[in-house]
Amino acid sequence: MENSNHFGKVYLIGAGPGDPGLLTVRGKSILEKADVVVYDRLVSPGVLSLCNPKAKMVDVGKMPTHHKVKQSEINKLLVKFAVEMPGATVARLKGGDPFVFGRGGEEALELVDAGVEFEVVPGVTSAIAVPAYAGIPVSHRGIATSFHIITGHEKAEAGDSLSLDFENLAKSQGTLIFLMGIANMDFIARRLIECGKDPKTPLAFIEKGTTPNQRTVMATLETAGETIVRENVTAPAITIMGGVVELGKTLAWKKNLPLSGKRLVVTRAAKQSSGITARLTALGAEVIETPMIETRNVLPYCHAELPSCIANSYEYDTAELADLADFEDLKDFDILAFTSTNGVESFFEQLFTAEYDVRELAGKKIASVGKITEKKLLEYGIRCDYVPKDHTGEGLGLLLREVVDDESRILLLQGNLADDTLLKLLPKATRWIVYETLPIAELPDWKREAIASADAVVFASSSAVENFAQISSLSSFVSRLSFCIGRMTEASAKKHGFETVTSDETTMDSLVKKIVEYYTMGENA
């Protein structure tokens, strides 16, 4: 069939072996704009989190003992999406590389037959990357000048024999790398020995390679079967055989970091989560970014055409209109008080949109609720005059009440969910609502599954705790441990039955330090 420009385009994308950092730049750019993502079991949550949040996510994952969706059905599904969604970007996301035992060729042939345009985006194959993360080079001068990638997963054509050329494999002097073969490895090892392979050949099983749960188990060809049982080696794992395996004892560079093997759920708003995610990931954790809230700017009061100004925001009643930012009145205030980084970003974005600039703040004192907000203000070139030692709304209110006189005109820059703590402490202050906080109503299935087995959840606000608790399907969350920033967040978490570990200061640095201390000093310390 001739290609039709009326169809969507399918991209066969290799997700790599697990570490999201090994996804190619090309693959990431396509996932970010994809309309549909058809993904496999071995694609890590970290990679899935890079997908367009509005994409239709379709799990066709295959388990070692059964297929969730048959390959023939997957092939037809890709064609169906492309035909029924003209102009759409359809991403077929596969672990490793789509053309290395990924059956990507079968999918491509089906697309060709249907006249659907496609593109292959190669991925880093686990056959090379996983040994590298274990310090095992697949080739090394003087030891192995070739390597061979073999599927250990194929079913026997007849009797009890896999359809592999054991005679030639046993004679090979190169490195042998078996993918997907743990269930058959005892048989494979015995057949290689029968065909003349040295029983003392070094061998390594590498589980969950390139992830925080990576584990390497050493053996020899003759002890392969008993080692799998004794060490409980499970899929996903690769098996590598040959002299290069010995180098792993010297070259293993991926050390166990303080948070290795820990899966942490980070609930910060999407635009704020990257900083703490990067820190926790660098310390060895697998981070599942799961924003519970999202923020949106509230457009300022418009003297000319109010309805058009707030068309993309929520509808205000008369009382709420009084709380909108009105930059014509900014000159009337002596002190600007910021209670969050969201407030800082929204205020300045609105200021610039209204065709003002930072000169409007000349002569005004600036107050911040804490160090994080203070740091955000510095990004705009603004230094704070007042920061309370107690980084709470109450602390800020008490400080301002102490240091300013009764004639000072104070402007509070807050969100729509802010309580009245500051207004009660500073009854003459004016409040502008510069952003609104909206709860995340739904989570994709893959994220729910990842969260269910997490070791802990990280909360940075009370609103995140409340929304997390309200999503009933998260009741399967196995751990009740939470890491909290600030006393208000801690109180909300306790209210919903979480065990809490709270940072000493209301900063991300302090929170990360507390998480590391908890796991390195003993979970009962």
Side-chain angles (χ1 to χ4, degrees):
M1 181 185 294
E2 294 183 2
N3 184 57
S4 171
N5 292 327
H6 298 294
F7 294 163
K9 182 174 180 179
V10 177
Y11 294 82
L12 305 177
I13 303 173
D19 183 345
L22 297 181
L23 178 69
T24 64
V25 174
R26 175 65 174 158
K28 181 175 182 289
S29 68
I30 294 169
L31 292 177
E32 288 174 339
K33 66 180 182 181
D35 300 292
V36 180
V37 179
V38 180
Y39 64 96
D40 284 344
R41 178 183 69 93
L42 292 182
V43 177
S44 72
V47 173
L48 292 176
S49 68
L50 300 174
C51 297
N52 176 5
K54 296 181 180 179
K56 178 181 177 65
M57 304 294 289
V58 182
D59 179 7
V60 293
K62 298 174 182 178
M63 303 298 287
T65 56
H66 69 279
H67 287 183
K68 195 167 190 176
V69 180
K70 293 181 179 179
Q71 184 62 51
S72 59
E73 295 173 357
I74 295 174
N75 298 346
K76 291 180 172 57
L77 192 62
L78 297 177
V79 172
K80 179 176 181 290
F81 282 130
V83 171
E84 294 181 355
M85 301 175 66
T89 295
V90 180
R92 172 66 174 112
L93 190 57
K94 309 169 75 69
D97 180 275
F99 279 7
V100 179
F101 301 131
R103 306 188 75 170
E106 298 174 40
E107 294 170 353
L109 288 171
E110 188 92 13
L111 295 169
V112 169
D113 289 342
V116 173
E117 185 180 1
F118 73 94
E119 178 180 323
V120 178
V121 181
V124 176
T125 175
S126 61
I128 297 174
V130 169
Y133 266 53
I136 301 173
V138 296
S139 65
H140 190 81
R141 188 172 61 175
I143 299 177
T145 57
S146 66
F147 60 89
H148 310 269
I149 305 173
I150 309 126
T151 176
H153 191 57
E154 282 192 8
K155 301 299 182 184
E157 296 295 335
D160 62 352
S161 178
L162 293 175
S163 55
L164 298 177
D165 186 353
F166 287 104
E167 293 285 346
N168 282 320
L169 288 175
K171 295 175 183 177
S172 172
Q173 298 302 306
T175 304
L176 303 183
I177 305 162
F178 291 85
L179 304 185
M180 308 171 292
I182 294 301
N184 296 321
M185 193 48 59
D186 182 41
F187 173 78
I188 290 172
R190 285 188 284 107
R191 287 289 292 122
L192 288 172
I193 292 172
E194 290 172 3
C195 293
K197 193 76 172 172
D198 184 354
K200 303 296 183 184
T201 300
L203 174 153
F205 303 111
I206 311 171
E207 285 183 337
K208 301 176 178 64
T210 79
T211 76
N213 296 305
Q214 176 176 309
R215 180 174 72 128
T216 301
V217 177
M218 298 289 192
T220 62
L221 199 57
E222 65 182 346
T223 64
E226 64 185 68
T227 301
I228 289 173
V229 175
R230 184 182 67 252
E231 300 295 333
N232 191 29
V233 179
T234 58
I238 76 162
T239 305
I240 181 168
M241 302 177 188
V244 292
V245 170
E246 294 291 340
L247 292 172
K249 298 175 181 178
T250 304
L251 302 180
W253 58 270
K254 189 174 178 11
K255 307 299 183 182
N256 283 333
L257 296 167
L259 301 181
S260 290
K262 302 301 179 183
R263 172 176 285 184
L264 303 178
V265 179
V266 171
T267 59
R268 295 204 83 193
K271 65 181 180 181
Q272 299 173 324
S273 63
S274 59
I276 189 170
T277 293
R279 297 184 205 183
L280 295 175
T281 300
L283 291 166
E286 179 185 18
V287 176
I288 310 299
E289 291 188 343
T290 311
M292 288 290 106
I293 57 175
E294 60 181 351
T295 58
R296 182 172 65 183
N297 286 354
V298 173
L299 296 182
Y301 186 89
C302 178
H303 291 270
E305 299 178 358
L306 178 61
S308 63
C309 279
I310 63 173
N312 69 339
S313 190
Y314 63 74
E315 295 183 2
Y316 301 95
D317 57 30
T318 304
E320 288 175 316
L321 288 175
D323 288 338
L324 290 180
D326 187 344
F327 289 103
E328 288 192 5
D329 295 337
L330 190 61
K331 62 183 182 301
D332 297 331
F333 298 100
D334 304 302
I335 299 172
L336 304 187
F338 293 88
T339 60
S340 70
T341 56
N342 288 322
V344 173
E345 291 178 342
S346 296
F347 172 82
F348 282 101
E349 185 172 330
Q350 292 178 30
L351 182 74
F352 300 149
T353 299
E355 298 184 347
Y356 294 96
D357 59 35
V358 293
R359 287 176 293 183
E360 299 299 319
L361 277 60
K364 302 182 188 301
K365 298 291 186 180
I366 306 297
S368 165
V369 71
K371 292 183 178 180
I372 297 177
T373 303
E374 180 184 21
K375 184 177 180 181
K376 177 59 67 174
L377 282 161
L378 274 174
E379 294 179 14
Y380 293 89
I382 306 298
R383 292 190 179 278
C384 289
D385 299 284
Y386 308 117
V387 182
K389 292 182 179 180
D390 179 11
H391 300 163
T392 64
E394 181 181 9
L396 178 60
L398 292 173
L399 173 63
L400 290 180
R401 197 165 66 176
E402 177 184 341
V403 300
V404 303
D405 57 53
D406 291 338
E407 300 303 317
S408 296
R409 294 159 298 178
I410 302 173
L411 177 61
L412 310 176
L413 290 313
Q414 296 184 298
N416 65 312
L417 297 184
D419 61 28
D420 292 334
T421 298
L422 274 171
L423 284 176
K424 289 177 180 178
L425 290 168
L426 305 166
K428 294 183 180 181
T430 298
R431 173 162 62 188
W432 284 0
I433 301 299
V434 292
Y435 69 93
E436 60 178 329
T437 301
L438 305 172
I440 300 295
E442 297 182 0
L443 293 174
D445 290 341
W446 70 264
K447 187 165 287 189
R448 297 181 191 279
E449 293 173 4
I451 289 172
S453 60
D455 294 283
V457 59
V458 180
F459 292 124
S461 68
S462 294
S463 53
V465 177
E466 296 297 331
N467 201 38
F468 190 93
Q470 287 174 14
I471 299 179
S472 59
S473 59
L474 294 183
S475 59
S476 60
F477 184 59
V478 175
S479 173
R480 301 305 294 174
L481 175 64
S482 68
F483 294 99
C484 303
I485 185 168
R487 292 200 310 270
M488 292 180 65
T489 303
E490 177 188 35
S492 295
K494 285 183 175 179
K495 181 180 73 174
H496 290 286
F498 281 96
E499 174 191 347
T500 59
V501 177
T502 305
S503 59
D504 296 324
E505 300 178 3
T506 54
T507 65
M508 283 300 138
D509 287 337
S510 180
L511 183 60
V512 171
K513 180 181 178 182
K514 183 64 70 172
I515 294 172
V516 172
E517 286 178 354
Y518 179 84
Y519 285 117
T520 57
M521 296 175 64
E523 300 181 7
N524 296 317

